[in-house]
Amino acid sequence: MFKTSLSLIALTVSGASIADESTIQRNLNQTEMEHVIVSGSRVFESIDEVPASITIISQKQIEAHLKVNPELQSLLAQMVPGLAPDTGSSSNSGQTLRGRAPLIMIDGVPQSTPLRNGSLGVKTLDPSAIGRIEVIKGATSIYGNGASGGIINYITKQAQSDGQTQGEISLSSRFSAVKLEESAGARLSAALNGRADKFSYLVTASYEENGVQRDSQGDILGLQYGLSDAVTQNYFTKLGYDFDDEKQLQFSYNYFSSQQKTDLGDVVGDMSLGEKTYAIHVPSELQKQGKPQGPEGNENITLKYTDYALLENTQMTLDLYTQDIENVFFFSPNLANPDENYQGGQSVISSEKKGARATFNTQVDFDSVEASFIYGIDALNDVTAQPLVDGRVWVPEMDMKSVAGFLQTKWVIANDLIIKAGVRKENIDLSVDDYRTLKLCKTATQCSVPISVKGDTVDYNATTYNVGIKYNLDEKFSPFLNYSQGSDISDIGRLLRSATVNDIGLIQTQASIIDNYEIGFNSQFDAVRLEVAAYRSTSELGTTNKFNEVTGVYEPVRAPQEIWGYEALVDYTISPSLKLLATYSYVEGKNTEADIYLGSKQISPPKATANLNWQPTDTLSLTLSYLYVGDRKRFEPNDNGKYVGDQGPVDNYTVFNLSGQYQFADSWQGFIGVENLFNQDYFPARAQSYTYGGYNIKGLGTTATVGVTYQF
């Protein structure tokens, strides 16, 4: 199977017949398709030829989890070793990949806002529009800034190839099984796709209204980044036109909105006393102030042209893309300034991107060596700011222009030895006009001191390298070793808004170069597949927070960091109808200058997962999933006996989920899902470790989903 899979993929992908995903799907079955990736090198290649840790989440796995929880955070936490546990909210703050921020993409187009990372990038597309998810771990510069932890790429669905129009409509309701009152929500999703001669089309739409979310005691979860009463909409379109067998034009559009519109208010508890924050109905003056929090109609437009035979054995892909993001955050009293009659404030991360990419892939065959040369140019203009809704400027407008050239090579020697090496040269100009930091008051006497900062254009030039080797000695043992670098200037906005000097040139805005080392192996036995990897990453200028007792502001601290860990995966086909997928991951990290452990904004506790799928017949399928989050207690309380920042201790907890589906007619399928099957009473890891106000929110109690799908 190993050699057969490799050969089929090579025939499908190589030379002048290099294919897009729809062509690959026509030539390969589902099992073989799961051995093909695109994210690691920007062209399709066999997963067996990549010397790095990769997680592929199939459409079947996505659909099974969607029946339990429609949030992509939850799916990724369950399926991806090395990714931090689910936060149970709309924010993925603290949900790092191997201790660093991943770059979120849709079909290779960045969705994150690295210049001012608001940690909302994971939730940018409805799962019903996704055909598969590719996760490449470890720092990489193949897609540019913001991928210090790796890449999470949502690969959208493709139009079917048989020329017939196909469609699907799904209707479901999600509600608390602990206390039904006000908890019932409704979700409707629909998809239509087909081909007409040279034209292909795919349209998906989803609309969801949540009821209130309740914990194991029946109380409504706290509202900070909460999902109670949230309204989520997603409309995605992909249109394609084949000029001939070798030339294709594709257009895609994505609109995503998810906002919490509620009449509730928080009852704030103290995490140091083990008290939760929960929500109740309150008079209008006590309700959440300001605009509804969440993405306010984010839009992406992509135009891609591919010539599969530009020259002999050379493929060309040209991409143009634009993105408009407005992420609204909750009203916070910490953004107060009584002197100017501001009792608090609400911020918005606004980001506009315009990008162009040219990627070429040339295949050359020697006597016993197959060589691939992937090269091109990327250009991006990213304009990001974080103003307050009331007109104050918290983070000034940052205008980033970047141009990068790259070369990635792969050498397959005698079908067994794979060597990859690459280089990327990046030139970035970041312009910021003169600005003044905000005066922010935590109390009437605890205020930051505003500073007038002289703006400037800061130049960044970085050359990053990667090299890896993999030896497919045998199906039973396939070791790999790799070294990769990433260049990261992410979250400059947080540095600017906390400036303590009067010139941008004096702020430590230098780029961080991340060096990532990884060693591991894959093994395939008759019924068992094993994946094991260990890694270490270092950076001379990481960014953490330190609380200023005088001003009440968390100020950035730039210091060298080291992060290390290991992961393991076991995929066991117990019988033709029973399959088990289990993972374990451990990560730890330190500020090496001060020799202190990093907080939970970067480092998550140990995590184990298991997914047991039973399909006794073609019409019935059941999946039981298990999540274990371990202890992490690295810090001591302060002189007042309280933990600060992201240093709270984490106690372990366990959660079980159950989902099932039954095909009761040719075109009809019913499904159920139960989250937190045994109604475990727990605080998620982030709620335990974050001491910032309002994060101490319990996990969901037992929550059920029931629905039906009609296909035509």
Side-chain angles (χ1 to χ4, degrees), residues 28-277:
L28 302 181
N29 62 41
Q30 183 59 40
T31 301
E32 292 162 345
M33 182 62 196
E34 291 174 5
H35 280 77
V36 179
I37 66 163
V38 65
S39 305
S41 59
R42 294 169 55 155
V43 299
F44 287 103
E45 62 181 336
S46 166
I47 196 171
D48 299 318
E49 296 181 355
V50 180
S53 291
I54 299 165
T55 297
I56 304 295
I57 306 176
S58 68
Q59 185 173 334
K60 183 178 179 180
Q61 292 171 318
I62 295 170
E63 290 172 348
H65 194 87
L66 184 60
K67 295 170 176 57
V68 173
N69 188 319
E71 300 297 321
L72 284 168
Q73 273 195 60
S74 175
L75 166 68
L76 291 166
Q78 183 68 32
M79 302 303 297
V80 181
L83 189 74
D86 181 19
T87 67
S89 70
S90 62
S91 166
N92 54 280
S93 173
Q95 195 174 30
T96 56
L97 183 59
R98 291 185 170 180
R100 301 189 186 276
L103 182 67
I104 312 298
M105 301 188 299
I106 298 176
D107 293 331
V109 176
Q111 303 299 301
S112 306
T113 56
L115 291 180
R116 174 69 276 270
N117 188 358
S119 299
L120 295 178
V122 168
K123 191 173 180 176
T124 56
L125 183 69
D126 189 80
S128 64
I130 301 175
R132 57 197 261 119
I133 301 174
E134 299 175 355
V135 182
I136 312 297
K137 303 167 194 173
T140 178
S141 59
I142 194 70
Y143 286 95
N145 183 44
S148 60
I151 297 165
I152 299 176
N153 193 8
Y154 303 144
I155 309 294
T156 57
K157 293 179 177 177
Q158 294 283 343
Q160 299 299 312
S161 61
D162 57 11
Q164 296 181 350
T165 298
Q166 298 181 1
E168 178 179 286
I169 299 174
S170 181
L171 178 64
S172 62
S173 178
R174 193 163 182 252
F175 54 87
S176 170
V178 180
K179 185 178 181 181
L180 179 60
E181 182 182 354
E182 299 182 277
S183 68
R187 172 184 167 84
L188 174 66
S189 64
L192 189 69
N193 77 87
R195 289 181 178 268
D197 193 19
K198 296 183 177 183
F199 179 70
S200 65
Y201 55 93
L202 170 73
V203 180
T204 70
S206 64
Y207 181 87
E208 182 174 10
E209 289 189 6
N210 284 349
V212 298
Q213 311 283 288
R214 297 189 181 273
D215 63 22
S216 64
Q217 298 171 330
D219 293 324
I220 303 172
L221 302 186
L223 301 179
Q224 190 138 298
Y225 296 113
L227 297 169
S228 290
D229 298 330
V231 177
T232 301
Q233 303 176 66
N234 183 217
Y235 307 103
F236 177 80
T237 300
K238 181 186 286 185
L239 306 175
Y241 185 78
D242 298 330
F243 295 100
D244 53 38
D245 292 340
E246 298 171 346
K247 299 178 180 62
Q248 180 191 71
L249 184 67
Q250 182 175 280
F251 167 86
S252 63
Y253 171 80
N254 183 55
Y255 173 92
F256 184 85
S257 171
S258 181
Q259 295 190 292
Q260 186 182 51
K261 302 177 180 180
T262 184
D263 60 355
L264 300 169
D266 277 334
V267 177
V268 180
D270 187 340
M271 190 64 208
S272 65
L273 301 175
E275 297 173 351
K276 66 184 179 185
T277 291

Side-chain angles (χ1 to χ4, degrees), residues 116-118 225 327 329-336 344-349 384-398 432 435-441 448 451 453 491-499 552-554 556:
R116 174 69 276 270
N117 188 358
Y225 296 113
N327 287 331
F329 293 82
F330 57 86
F331 184 91
S332 173
N334 291 336
L335 297 175
Q346 186 176 20
S347 71
V348 181
I349 290 182
T384 298
Q386 189 176 16
L388 301 187
V389 171
D390 56 37
R392 291 178 287 168
V393 175
W394 194 14
V395 176
E397 186 174 275
M398 299 166 286
V432 179
Y435 71 99
R436 184 175 175 83
T437 62
L438 276 182
K439 179 180 180 181
L440 301 177
C441 300
S448 64
I451 295 176
V453 181
D491 231 350
I492 294 296
R494 188 150 58 100
L495 298 172
L496 297 182
R497 77 185 190 190
S498 304
V553 174
Y554 284 94

Side-chain angles (χ1 to χ4, degrees), residues 346-367:
Q346 186 176 20
S347 71
V348 181
I349 290 182
S350 173
S351 180
E352 294 183 3
K353 298 188 185 79
K354 295 180 177 64
R357 300 182 304 194
T359 304
F360 300 87
N361 180 16
T362 298
Q363 307 276 334
V364 180
D365 289 342
F366 302 101
D367 288 341

Side-chain angles (χ1 to χ4, degrees), residues 336-343 392 439 441 443-445 447-448 450:
N337 183 352
D339 291 347
E340 298 182 12
N341 296 318
Y342 293 112
Q343 303 309 309
R392 291 178 287 168
K439 179 180 180 181
C441 300
T443 67
T445 59
C447 298
S448 64

Side-chain angles (χ1 to χ4, degrees), residues 594-610:
D595 193 28
I596 56 175
Y597 285 99
L598 300 175
S600 67
K601 273 182 177 273
Q602 287 186 257
I603 307 300
S604 61
K607 184 187 73 171
T609 68

